[in-house]
Amino acid sequence: MTDQWVTFGKAGAAAVVRLTGEIDLANAPAIGREIVRHTGRAGAVLIDLTAVSFLDSAGVRLLDSLVGDLDRNGTPIRLVVGESGPARMTLQLCAFRDDLLATNLRQAAEEVNR
């Protein structure tokens, strides 16, 4: 069921998570479980939010929780949010960690592989 909102890939040693559509209270918990299941042993995690059309507080909490868990494990993470768009706007309004936001997937992959 979550495959309509989340897909997975690789970029070198990094796991790539691509989210699409609306991320909200209705689907955030299931999406979170899938992300954890697919990225548990990744050397780095890149979450591409450029195709997200709506991100509510449940989506922000999901991202905050994932970042916290990955930070504690020493796993580099970047959120790909583009130059503008709903995900970037929402995360900036919530004062999300700016050092984790990347404009594109290439930039994000370069940053986690340094």
Side-chain angles (χ1 to χ4, degrees), residues 1-2 4-6 8 17 19-37 47 49 52 54-66:
M1 180 77 145
T2 58
Q4 66 186 1
W5 299 294
V6 61
F8 299 94
V17 179
L19 299 179
T20 188
E22 297 183 2
I23 309 303
D24 56 25
L25 184 59
N27 60 12
I31 290 170
R33 287 189 296 274
E34 283 300 300
I35 291 172
V36 169
R37 190 166 71 86
I47 301 179
L49 301 162
V52 169
F54 177 77
L55 184 68
D56 77 354
S57 61
V60 174
R61 281 192 306 276
L62 165 65
L63 294 171
D64 186 52
S65 176
L66 290 169

Side-chain angles (χ1 to χ4, degrees), residues 77-92:
I77 182 171
R78 291 295 181 279
L79 306 177
V80 181
V81 293
E83 294 279 339
S84 62
R88 176 177 282 281
M89 182 186 73
T90 301
L91 293 173
Q92 287 179 323

Side-chain angles (χ1 to χ4, degrees), residues 10 13 36-44 75:
K10 296 284 283 179
V36 169
R37 190 166 71 86
H38 281 86
T39 63
R41 297 190 185 272
T75 305

Side-chain angles (χ1 to χ4, degrees), residues 67-79:
V67 165
D69 290 347
L70 291 166
D71 272 349
R72 278 188 291 285
N73 292 331
T75 305
I77 182 171
R78 291 295 181 279
L79 306 177

